[in-house]
Amino acid sequence: MPFRGLGRPNATCGMCAADHTKDAFMELKRKKIYRYLVFRIDEKEREVVVEKIGNPAETYDDFTASLPENDCRYAVYDFNFVTSDNCRKSKIFFIAWSPSSSRIRAKMLYATSKHGLRRELDGIHYEIQATDPTEMDLEVLKERAH
């Protein structure tokens, strides 16, 4: 007798991360070849996939502009800064972008899948849940990182 729903996402685990999603994160974390990654849920494939990769020269404004105005996304951003001791540091932020104007179904799907994705992306320093651009302003990152 086949099991119904085997391999399908459910409310407790949500969508799984695709292999290339984990690989891209490791390259951002270890090799520093990306500034940011934007992820989306591919409902057909039932997994979280990389939608956009930001090269190291891109700014925080480039990153925020890459997030859709009316749909949910996950993102990681490698934030570089200089401490008061004049030391160069880098902190990786996980951002769960869920704008107020996005569909309720999308908000639910992203909310139920967040924990599973976060568990697979080892090395995140801070997490931000944002429903409005002001909640993930560059000043918010600076405040958290220091």
Side-chain angles (χ1 to χ4, degrees):
M1 176 169 94
F3 292 101
R4 285 192 177 177
L6 189 63
R8 297 182 66 161
N10 64 42
T12 59
C13 70
M15 303 286 175
C16 298
D19 288 338
H20 75 272
T21 298
K22 293 180 265 187
D23 294 343
F25 175 75
M26 292 309 289
E27 289 177 346
L28 176 140
K29 178 182 157 186
R30 290 194 178 133
K31 297 179 183 176
K32 304 289 186 188
I33 59 174
Y34 307 131
R35 172 67 58 217
Y36 64 86
L37 301 169
V38 176
F39 308 110
R40 70 174 175 79
I41 291 177
D42 182 336
E43 290 188 60
K44 184 178 177 190
E45 296 296 322
R46 298 187 186 104
E47 61 187 6
V48 178
V49 298
V50 176
E51 180 177 67
K52 174 136 177 50
I53 294 174
N55 69 56
E58 290 192 55
T59 66
Y60 192 70
D61 288 338
D62 295 328
F63 163 66
T64 58
S66 71
L67 296 172
E69 194 175 309
N70 298 313
D71 203 2
C72 302
R73 292 294 185 272
Y74 303 117
V76 290
Y77 185 81
D78 189 6
F79 179 61
N80 297 315
F81 61 99
V82 178
T83 67
S84 57
D85 300 338
N86 209 24
C87 295
R88 292 190 153 288
K89 296 269 185 171
S90 173
K91 297 290 182 185
I92 299 174
F93 281 80
F94 178 86
I95 299 169
W97 173 242
S98 184
S100 303
S101 57
S102 58
R103 296 177 348 260
I104 291 174
R105 180 177 172 12
K107 290 179 192 179
M108 298 281 291
L109 186 58
Y110 276 79
T112 58
S113 301
K114 182 177 82 167
H115 180 70
L117 176 63
R118 279 279 283 117
R119 193 173 49 239
E120 294 192 48
L121 303 182
D122 186 41
I124 303 262
H125 299 104
Y126 302 103
E127 181 176 323
I128 295 175
Q129 175 72 44
T131 58
D132 176 271
T134 60
E135 295 174 334
M136 54 180 249
D137 187 72
L138 186 57
E139 293 303 314
V140 173
L141 271 65
K142 287 178 182 177
E143 188 178 295
R144 287 257 183 107
H146 286 98

